[in-house]
DNA sequence: CGCACTTTTGAGTCAGTTCAACCGAAGTGG
DNA sequence: CCACTTCGGTTGAACTGACTCAAAAGTGCG
């Protein structure tokens, strides 16, 4: 779809904002140069579907800026989001050629893409890429399993609190902020997208957000901007054990 | 716990039933020999907890025979199973030293263990192990995401049908059977363990199994042995698209 | 201003939970 | 050998958290 004209603003890897967290994190300069040779950028607008489930995937990619979702849709339309992609997250699977999920931009998104074939060849020669990808995949697996607990056992209120806590954390992480009591961030998701991620209806999402607001656990400026006066209270509502899922 | 005396029945890798599916699948003979040097077997009885969440993990392992679960428990006791471990599945994560989940044997289980430190060193020298582990981890991630759809969006009846279909498939797969209309298998889980995996109560599990039996979609011999006269009907009840999750 | 879209709120319903009783098979020990 | 307990499983009845359907209230944009 839509080939954009942003190619000219392509930053080089040295100044890339996700250089030290993405799949290329461990690469040395020669390896990086090889990656740089086969990379290209694409950008997408909020709401665009980047990849359709079942489509042939001829590239893999890293999210550079913005947020996207991975979603599964049943034949009757029931929809479940199975992953949130933040900057540095990886899309696609070496060795598979059709996409298993829809990938949808929920904000404007910039991706750093690699054609799959050359990427796979490079991976075979460059253990650092495979190592980093394994690390990232194991992290994603942990995140998916944490989400299984949420989907299977948490109440609607706990689900909302968990999502807000996670977005707050990732958002803070991107800005390199230390842990602090107060945080403000933008929700990169509509109520419906939240519902799809949490296994709820959008009405329930709206009601629970209203309830958290009413009780002073969050404050809203507009529909999307959230201020959390006391992050520990929010984490308590999420019913996560101890650290609220901070990497141990 | 319980160091067993089965060590003497330790098969060598050549005759190992999971040789071609486990983390060692791609290893050549010299690599295999290196693994063989650091491996040891442990067996556990049904019901035993192999590993407690939070425990120090000084080994990683492959399931050789039997079935185990990965479960997460919230402070108030709510429990969610986040993975079923069948023969050839891998337990543990190189580079992490405390277990994030309880691992519980639901049948008698035999594990092929590797002390973590030597395994990690070997992995650094042996790309085939890391490659295979990446492949397996990506498969598990797909499975986890399929389960997220189940937990978030499926009805109780669909959840039960999905679980039965998956156990039937993995069970058939182990026996190298081709796809056939009729299948019979043993459920390696109690009603409660099924409930924990499906995000239901054990009463609901029992009721839905009774309902499927009443409608002739399954037949029971005892509580645990399930006969499926028409696997396609079961898969239809599971509401999976197309192939019921067969590897594409 | 008016149309389209997202979000909020309300009222009634229902799938799945909760609580409780009961069943059958497998020990156990007097 | 039979009472007694335990354990996994089934079934019933009442309850409830989240869903469904419906309508109103923002919000943004040409």
């Amino acid at each position: 779809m839509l080939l954009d004209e942003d190619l000219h603003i392509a930053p080089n890897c040295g100044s890339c904002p996700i250089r030290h967290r993405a799949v290329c994190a461990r690469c040395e300069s020669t390896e990086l140069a090889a990656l740089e040779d086969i990379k290209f950028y694409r950008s997408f607008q909020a709401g665009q579907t980047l990849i359709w489930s079942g489509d042939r995937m001829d590239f893999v990619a890293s999210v550079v800026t913005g947020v996207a979702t991975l979603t599964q849709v049943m034949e009757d339309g029931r929809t479940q989001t199975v992953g949130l992609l933040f900057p540095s997250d990886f899309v696609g699977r070496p060795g598979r050629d059709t996409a298993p999920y829809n990938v949808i931009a929920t904000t404007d998104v910039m991706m750093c893409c690699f054609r799959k074939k050359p990427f796979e060849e490079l991976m075979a020669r460059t253990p650092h890429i495979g190592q980093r990808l394994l690390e990232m995949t194991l992290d994603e697996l942990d995140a998916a399993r944490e989400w299984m607990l949420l989907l299977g056992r948490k109440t609607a209120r706990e689900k909302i609190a968990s999502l807000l806590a996670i977005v707050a954390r990732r958002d803070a992480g991107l800005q390199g902020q230390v842990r602090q009591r107060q945080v403000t961030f933008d929700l990169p998701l509509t109520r419906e997208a939240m519902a799809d991620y949490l296994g709820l209806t959008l009405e329930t999402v709206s009601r629970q957000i209203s309830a958290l607001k009413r009780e002073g656990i969050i404050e809203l400026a507009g529909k999307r901007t959230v201020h959390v006066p006391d992050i520990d209270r929010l984490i308590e509502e999420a019913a996560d054990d101890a650290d609220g899922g901070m990497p141990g």
Side-chain angles (χ1 to χ4, degrees), chain A residues 151-201:
Chain A
L151 291 171
R153 295 303 188 195
K154 288 190 181 179
T155 64
R157 182 189 178 88
E158 290 166 345
K159 287 179 174 182
I160 297 287
S162 300
L163 177 61
L164 294 177
I166 281 182
V167 173
R169 171 148 38 91
R170 292 217 62 162
D171 202 275
L174 291 177
Q175 285 150 39
Q177 289 170 11
V178 281
R179 211 154 176 232
Q180 49 194 47
R181 199 172 254 328
Q182 303 216 135
V183 280
T184 302
F185 57 91
D186 261 30
L187 269 175
L189 303 172
T190 64
R191 299 288 183 262
E192 186 179 19
M194 288 188 251
D196 286 342
Y197 197 23
L198 297 170
L200 296 171
T201 59

Side-chain angles (χ1 to χ4, degrees), chain A residues 17 21 31 40 50 83 89 91 103 106 123 130 132 143 169 195-196 202 204 207 211-212 220 230 238 240 243 246:
Chain A
R21 328 184 87 236
E31 297 166 340
F40 58 99
L50 317 198
D89 285 340
V91 185
V103 183
T106 65
M123 235 180 86
R132 176 66 188 142
R169 171 148 38 91
D196 286 342
L202 67 90
T204 299
R207 276 187 250 274
L212 290 175
L220 297 184
D230 179 353
D240 282 321
D243 57 8
M246 291 298 282

Side-chain angles (χ1 to χ4, degrees), chain A residues 122-156:
Chain A
L122 193 54
M123 235 180 86
R125 279 182 280 123
T126 314
H128 284 162
I129 296 177
Q131 284 166 14
R132 176 66 188 142
L133 191 55
L134 175 57
E135 214 170 68
M136 292 173 73
T137 305
L138 285 163
D139 286 342
E140 275 188 86
L141 185 55
D142 283 341
R145 287 174 166 165
E146 187 184 325
W147 217 249
M148 286 172 63
L149 175 66
L150 176 145
L151 291 171
R153 295 303 188 195
K154 288 190 181 179
T155 64

